[in-house]
Amino acid sequence: MESKRLYVDFHVLQTVPPSCVNRDDTGSPKTAVYGGATRARVSSQAWKRAMRLMFREELLDGEQVGDRTKKIVGLVADEIEALAPGQDAKKMAKDALNLAGLSKIKEDKDADTLFFMSRAQARALARLAVEGNDDKKAYKDALKAAPSVDMVLFGRMVASDPSLNYDAAAQVAHSISTHAVQNEYDYFTAVDDCAPEDNAGAGHLGTVEYNSSTLYRYATVNVKELETQLGGKAVPSVVRAFAEAFVRSMPTGKQNTFANRTLPDAVYVTLRTDQPVNLCGAFEKAVPATANGFVGPSKAALADYAQKVYTCYADAPLQAFTVGDGLEALAPAQPLGRVLDALEAAVGQQLGAETGNGVE
């Protein structure tokens, strides 16, 4: 019997040196209280943004990545200009978007809120506008069809018209440190290069708040939802791209100040047909500070907790892969490239489709 569910779970342990990867409204590194202890936190939105940038710059082609922007009139107008040069492209684009149900877009104004649109959707709206079509259903259908890969993965919400929504096929958890943290402050000065020689004072004084941590990061992908939206042949390579982006990306907050970009200490990937399983419970009791650091004890805690979950509540995964040492009790360790190949092949096998080289 074919399973109606297939999930790929990603568990990552990653050490980040002194940094301010993700700030709150006061400029402080984000934190959360978990298990009675204050933890470093990086929001899911921050990491998803980093992943989308990696999709755009390295892993997917332009047609597969959408734009989340208020400037959707310009996106459609560019496509109209390409199809019919010399027309009033901006007015035609605005009219097309209004016919599609986005009625808050006014003449020569951007949208009131960010809107997620694929290039194929912008092109379809432009084609209808150039043809002079005034069928509202056709415009709305164009805005719902042919979503970009990142739109399917991370979802689209349109408060004014829920029929245009896409449910996200992926979920990304807020990353939290496996141990307690205490934010610190760096007092810094800057010297005025053009100050007179008898002026020994600083040209600028300031402080920046930071912390360092070993993070537990988790994400899950609903493979069957991807199959519904993208087609089975496209899915394995999309899951591979998601995996690589989740493992290798890093939010850019204060990166020039701290040069904090690291790669994970350990990665654990599983295929499941029951439900996604977040293993953050491994760190409900904060890992204590030791002379050996936090990474080794965090790996041991993750492996131990996963085995307890599989014994008591959930079946062991259909397949599992690990990168880095310390999680061999869960699956044999392999280099990242080999795991990505194996994951792509495993997803294709589970879907009963041949793994392709690209995304349709």
Side-chain angles (χ1 to χ4, degrees):
M1 180 178 175
E2 181 184 358
S3 173
K4 295 183 178 180
R5 292 175 289 189
L6 180 62
Y7 304 98
V8 182
D9 284 356
F10 301 91
H11 311 269
V12 172
L13 291 172
Q14 184 165 354
T15 299
V16 182
S19 57
C20 186
V21 173
N22 189 204
R23 289 169 278 174
D24 65 17
D25 58 330
T26 69
S28 300
K30 289 185 176 179
T31 59
V33 175
Y34 182 61
T38 299
R39 315 296 182 98
R41 176 172 67 92
V42 180
S43 73
S44 58
Q45 288 287 10
W47 228 296
K48 284 189 284 188
R49 170 65 176 166
M51 293 174 68
R52 288 187 62 234
L53 289 176
M54 184 168 280
F55 287 160
R56 185 183 299 273
E57 295 168 1
E58 297 184 39
L59 301 178
L60 301 175
D61 66 45
E63 287 294 319
Q64 297 169 293
V65 182
D67 292 292
R68 188 176 61 180
T69 179
K70 292 183 179 181
K71 301 182 182 299
I72 55 175
V73 173
L75 295 181
V76 179
D78 288 345
E79 297 293 342
I80 291 174
E81 184 65 29
L83 291 172
Q87 301 292 319
D88 188 350
K90 287 191 71 173
K91 183 180 185 306
M92 292 173 68
K94 188 245 341 170
D95 291 342
L97 290 164
N98 286 341
L99 285 168
L102 303 180
S103 58
K104 289 187 177 182
I105 297 175
K106 306 300 180 185
E107 192 77 41
D108 297 325
K109 295 287 181 83
D110 295 325
D112 292 340
T113 59
L114 293 170
F115 188 84
F116 215 159
M117 182 182 291
S118 70
R119 294 188 184 182
Q121 290 170 347
R123 194 175 301 118
L125 290 174
R127 191 174 297 112
L128 290 170
V130 170
E131 292 170 354
N133 193 316
D134 60 0
D135 182 357
K136 292 184 178 181
K137 183 178 184 302
Y139 282 90
K140 181 164 287 191
D141 288 345
L143 204 53
K144 291 193 292 186
S148 60
V149 167
D150 52 349
M151 189 186 301
V152 173
L153 283 168
F154 300 132
R156 179 173 76 182
M157 190 191 79
V158 185
S160 61
D161 189 350
S163 70
L164 297 175
N165 289 356
Y166 274 96
D167 290 333
Q171 298 173 351
V172 179
H174 288 233
S175 305
I176 60 170
S177 63
T178 64
H179 52 89
V181 299
Q182 184 173 349
N183 289 346
E184 301 179 72
Y185 294 86
D186 176 33
Y187 169 79
F188 66 89
T189 65
V191 177
D192 186 338
D193 292 339
C194 296
E197 292 184 6
D198 60 352
N199 185 348
H204 176 75
L205 304 175
T207 59
V208 60
E209 198 170 356
Y210 66 93
N211 59 37
S212 60
S213 61
T214 295
L215 297 171
Y216 170 70
R217 301 171 47 215
Y218 170 78
T220 185
V221 174
N222 184 336
V223 176
K224 291 293 187 176
E225 181 65 20
L226 281 181
E227 183 182 32
T228 298
Q229 299 295 344
L230 300 176
K233 186 177 180 181
V235 170
S237 58
V238 170
V239 173
R240 180 195 177 109
F242 182 95
E244 184 169 359
F246 187 65
V247 170
R248 291 183 48 228
S249 64
M250 170 70 75
T252 57
K254 291 282 187 181
Q255 204 166 91
N256 287 344
T257 302
F258 291 101
N260 55 266
R261 184 155 187 166
T262 61
L263 289 169
D265 299 285
V267 176
Y268 176 46
V269 183
T270 65
L271 274 72
R272 309 191 60 83
T273 55
D274 49 1
Q275 68 174 62
V277 179
N278 186 324
L279 298 174
C280 65
F283 311 108
E284 194 274 338
K285 180 180 179 181
V287 172
T290 69
N292 295 322
F294 294 112
V295 175
S298 296
K299 292 177 182 178
L302 180 63
D304 182 62
Y305 184 80
Q307 290 168 322
K308 288 180 180 177
V309 169
Y310 301 154
T311 299
C312 299
Y313 296 104
D315 292 336
L318 289 178
Q319 290 179 264
F321 315 94
T322 65
V323 182
D325 61 2
L327 299 180
E328 290 85 357
L330 301 175
Q334 303 178 68
L336 176 60
R338 197 173 300 169
V339 166
L340 293 174
D341 290 342
L343 175 63
E344 184 176 9
V347 170
Q349 183 179 20
Q350 288 296 324
L351 293 178
E354 291 186 6
T355 301
N357 292 323
V359 179
E360 293 183 339

